[in-house]
Amino acid sequence: MTLRAASEAAVPDRTVAPAVAPRVPVHVGVIMDGNGRWATSRKLPRVEGHRRGVEALRRCVRAAREIGIRFLTIYSFSSENWSRPPGEVTELMRLLKLFLRHDLAELNSAHVRVKVIGERQGLAPDIRALLDDAEALTCGNGGLTLVVAFNYGSRQEIAAAVSRIAADVAAGRLKPQDVDVEMISQRLETAGIPDPDLIVRTSGEQRLSNFLLWQAAYSEFVFLPIYWPDFDKAALLSAIDEYARRDRRFGGVTARPGP
Ligand code: IPE
Ligand code: IPE
Ligand code: MG
């Protein structure tokens, strides 16, 4: 069986050359799910699950750095999460602020570059300022890129990109026939970031919930049967182990002998 690093996959224009061991995905997306059920199963309020989820996030970032992952995208708050009870939304906002205020200096000294994707308009001014500051402080860092998907929805992201392209066509700056896959990729908020090699979702749910729909065209998916607050390095390693056993073909022929 031949195992290939993501860097060797047949998509040369959408990947970066990673300085990591073979079989380690360059870009991992994480759908941090199951906080509420973790808490409810312990007869705790749902928000307690979110609080414990922040600790799992810290473990996840640390593990990603140790493993040599170059890009880690964490799904923190979806465009659709506004439909939750107001108290829960308030707590999720408070926890994001707490995470940025408490962890930013440490992330910066660990050379982590923070990038935020998602709609920033409509967020409270203090949250916007924290997100802007986190990006500005860390933009020159060369270690792990931590992509924080906050108030993020992939359909909204694609619609915004299409709208910008349509405006350019209407203004005569672009011709309709110039619009291609690469152009759309470069107009998304993830422009310049390689597509995720691996997407991990905790809690047992097997869906994307509006996360990186375009970018996940050839991602491998691993669904872990644990709730997010229980996530740790061993869980991440198990997902990577599963990833390493997959045969990524990108529409081509198998690299591995048949059964
Ligand atoms: C993930 O946990 C956190 C966010 C979506 C912000 P959930 O809150 O979705 O937990 P479950 O899925 O209800 O258990
Ligand atoms: C996805 O989880 C969003 C985040 C993890 C931030 P949800 O819990 O919101 O997704 P659904 O509602 O189960 O699809
Ligand atoms: Mg959920």
Side-chain angles (χ1 to χ4, degrees), residues 32-37 46 50 76-77 81 84 88 92:
M32 311 185 288
D33 196 21
N35 292 349
R37 278 165 284 170
R46 287 177 55 85
H50 296 316
S76 318
F77 191 87
N81 285 148
R84 296 187 176 205
E88 182 169 339
L92 287 166

Side-chain angles (χ1 to χ4, degrees), residues 31-33 75-78 81 84 201 205 207 209:
I31 303 175
M32 311 185 288
D33 196 21
Y75 202 9
S76 318
F77 191 87
S78 77
N81 285 148
R84 296 187 176 205
R201 182 168 187 152
E205 305 298 355
R207 55 178 171 260
S209 302

Side-chain angles (χ1 to χ4, degrees), residues 53-223:
V54 177
E55 290 165 32
L57 170 59
R58 291 189 179 112
R59 288 195 292 274
C60 181
V61 173
R62 195 178 315 123
R65 289 179 38 235
E66 288 166 3
I67 292 166
I69 290 163
R70 302 296 307 274
F71 298 84
L72 176 71
T73 300
I74 51 157
Y75 202 9
S76 318
F77 191 87
S78 77
S79 307
E80 290 74 34
N81 285 148
W82 294 105
S83 64
R84 296 187 176 205
E88 182 169 339
V89 170
T90 303
E91 182 63 8
L92 287 166
M93 297 292 152
R94 192 185 74 83
L95 288 171
L96 175 81
K97 287 191 271 187
L98 198 75
F99 175 72
L100 290 173
R101 289 195 181 116
H102 187 271
D103 291 47
L104 186 58
E106 196 180 321
L107 290 170
N108 188 38
S109 53
H111 312 291
V112 174
R113 177 169 69 118
V114 177
K115 164 141 184 73
V116 182
I117 58 173
E119 183 55 61
R120 263 178 257 197
Q121 270 178 11
L123 293 177
D126 59 344
I127 293 188
R128 287 176 66 167
L130 279 169
L131 295 173
D132 293 346
D133 290 351
E135 287 187 325
L137 179 71
T138 63
C139 66
N141 289 344
L144 171 76
T145 297
L146 176 64
V147 183
V148 179
F150 193 80
N151 196 19
Y152 174 83
S154 189
R155 285 180 160 180
Q156 291 84 340
E157 177 192 34
I158 293 168
V162 169
S163 171
R164 284 192 294 274
I165 289 171
D168 281 351
V169 170
R173 290 187 290 268
L174 265 183
K175 295 192 192 71
Q177 59 269 30
D178 293 335
V179 179
D180 61 9
V181 167
E182 192 55 29
M183 179 182 291
I184 293 173
S185 293
Q186 292 309 320
R187 302 263 181 148
L188 298 176
E189 293 189 70
T190 49
I193 297 172
D195 288 338
D197 303 294
L198 167 65
I199 293 181
V200 179
R201 182 168 187 152
T202 54
S203 90
E205 305 298 355
Q206 302 191 359
R207 55 178 171 260
L208 275 174
S209 302
N210 209 7
F211 183 58
L212 301 179
L213 302 180
W214 174 276
Q215 298 88 337
Y218 274 102
S219 300
E220 297 295 328
F221 295 90
V222 173
F223 300 102

